[in-house]
Amino acid sequence: MNIAFSAGIAIIVYIDTEMMSFIVQLDTKFQGQVSGLLGNLNGNPDDDLQFPNGTIMDSGSSLKELHEFGLEWLVKEEDSIFTYISPFDYSTYHFPEFSPTFGIPDLNEVSQEIKDLCGDSVECVFDAVTTGSLSFANATLVVTGTITEVQNSLVKIVSCGFPGDIENGQMSGSVYLVNATVDLTCDEGFDLKGSSRLTCKADGQWSSAIPLCVSTPQWFAGIIAAIVVCALLIALAFSCLIYFISKSKKS
């Protein structure tokens, strides 16, 4: 399942009968602007393991220490964005007391069946030994292979972001990725000064600035009204002239 947000965030979710995994892709504009279990996207892997208080964990930490790091980022119930359907709730999926297996199995000591399935994939071997399920280990193998494929085929997600509000006007369009457009109109009594359509360019910039909706001057409105009245009078006079000419010909 692929989920894409106009802000420049994409999430690929893989759901198997025994596990769920996901891959997150972010626009480069988020570099250094995020934090959490997935790092800060600043190009330096040495400071990815950052606690909520800003402390950096050593990148060579043990699996147990990494687990403790993950616990620091547990989502609190009041911060959860999930909706739970009764009888399930936050506590149904919240197990901070769970302690996983931290030992990495020796590839030379596993069964031939596991070796044939996993090859040199440490993740696959770990799950095969820990869970005792070859199907689960195979799912891990598929996911790790998919992650590698995605990494090798990454494309840059470019978003121009929300173009901004237009005062005394309306904007239509909610997609802000490359080649997307938004149309702008002014409320009654206001004139548009600028482009009525903006296009998101490949460099992440809109084709032009947000236009202005300027109040129509009273004198201008009066002139427009006078022109309309004159046009109506001319049309009426012309109609009367045609009528009298037609009538005189008949007589």
Side-chain angles (χ1 to χ4, degrees), residues 167-214:
E167 189 174 357
N168 301 312
Q170 307 293 327
M171 178 187 301
S172 61
S174 57
V175 177
Y176 312 132
L177 303 179
V178 175
N179 295 325
T181 60
V182 294
D183 294 311
L184 304 112
T185 57
C186 291
D187 298 334
E188 186 176 351
F190 293 86
D191 295 325
L192 190 71
K193 300 296 182 182
S195 177
S196 62
R197 170 168 290 185
L198 307 183
T199 302
C200 180
K201 301 187 299 181
D203 61 359
Q205 301 295 320
W206 289 103
S207 54
S208 61
I210 285 286
L212 299 175
C213 286
V214 182

Side-chain angles (χ1 to χ4, degrees), residues 69-195:
F69 164 77
L71 291 177
E72 292 293 324
W73 285 101
L74 276 177
V75 176
K76 298 178 181 178
E77 184 172 6
E78 59 268 23
D79 296 328
S80 175
I81 61 174
F82 290 101
T83 299
Y84 303 98
I85 301 176
S86 181
F88 305 106
D89 57 19
Y90 173 81
S91 62
T92 306
Y93 308 96
H94 184 66
F95 301 107
E97 67 281 358
F98 171 75
S99 180
T101 300
F102 299 114
I104 299 178
D106 188 338
L107 294 179
N108 297 318
E109 296 181 359
V110 299
S111 68
Q112 188 60 46
E113 190 175 23
I114 293 178
K115 290 181 181 179
D116 292 341
L117 171 65
C118 298
D120 58 357
S121 172
V122 177
E123 296 86 357
C124 176
V125 172
F126 181 89
D127 283 348
V129 173
T130 302
T131 66
S133 170
L134 290 179
S135 62
F136 190 93
N138 184 65
T140 300
L141 187 65
V142 171
V143 169
T144 53
T146 302
I147 291 175
T148 300
E149 292 177 3
V150 171
Q151 289 175 330
N152 293 334
S153 61
L154 281 178
V155 294
K156 183 180 179 181
I157 300 175
V158 179
S159 169
C160 292
F162 180 62
D165 293 314
I166 177 169
E167 189 174 357
N168 301 312
Q170 307 293 327
M171 178 187 301
S172 61
S174 57
V175 177
Y176 312 132
L177 303 179
V178 175
N179 295 325
T181 60
V182 294
D183 294 311
L184 304 112
T185 57
C186 291
D187 298 334
E188 186 176 351
F190 293 86
D191 295 325
L192 190 71
K193 300 296 182 182
S195 177

Side-chain angles (χ1 to χ4, degrees), residues 232-246:
L232 291 174
L233 291 175
I234 292 173
L236 179 61
F238 187 70
S239 298
C240 291
L241 179 61
I242 293 176
Y243 172 76
F244 285 118
I245 292 175
S246 176

Side-chain angles (χ1 to χ4, degrees), residues 14-21 135-136 139:
Y14 300 92
I15 301 177
D16 190 81
T17 54
E18 296 182 272
M19 68 184 300
M20 182 180 74
S21 57
S135 62
F136 190 93

